[in-house]
Structures are given as C-alpha cells and as structure tokens.
Amino acid sequence: MARQARLVAIVIVVTMAIWIGAQVAGAKLGLEARYVFLFDFAALGAFVWAFVVTYQIWRKRRNNEG
C-alpha cells in the first residue's frame, strides 16, 4: 500500500508540473486552444487514475483495520 501511495503522489506532482508547464508554454508559443485542451484532458485522466487508486488504497486500509 505504501508503494501505491508513493506512486500516486509522484503521478500527482508530475502531472501538475507538466500541466502548468504546458499552460505556460501554450500561452507563450501561442498554441491553439485545442492543443492546450489535450494537455488538460491528459491531466484530468491522470487525476482520475490517482483518485481511483487512492480510493482503492483507502478501501484496503479500511478492510484491514476492521
């Protein structure tokens, strides 16, 4: 469970860094909105994955306690 939790934390941090970088780069380079939205959707997918795994960790921990 600890390894999964670390993986989730790393995915969240890296996703935020890449997403913010993509937003800044998109504004500076003048990328079309559709390309910037691709980064938004990729980040959203990573966050949904992180939420699902976090929920699974929470359920495992809850079942192990009681």
Side-chain angles (χ1 to χ4, degrees):
M1 279 192 292
R3 193 169 82 189
Q4 279 184 321
R6 279 192 300 271
L7 179 61
V8 167
I10 290 169
V11 167
I12 290 171
V13 168
V14 170
T15 300
M16 283 301 298
I18 291 172
W19 181 71
I20 290 170
Q23 295 298 316
V24 171
K28 288 198 183 252
L29 297 175
L31 291 177
E32 293 182 36
R34 65 182 177 166
Y35 296 118
V36 178
F37 277 125
L38 287 175
F39 288 109
D40 291 343
F41 286 126
L44 186 61
F47 289 132
V48 167
W49 176 86
F51 176 75
V52 168
V53 174
T54 301
Y55 179 75
Q56 290 172 350
I57 293 168
W58 176 73
R59 292 288 297 186
K60 283 182 196 175
R61 186 177 222 179
R62 190 171 162 206
N63 288 339
N64 288 342
E65 289 177 359

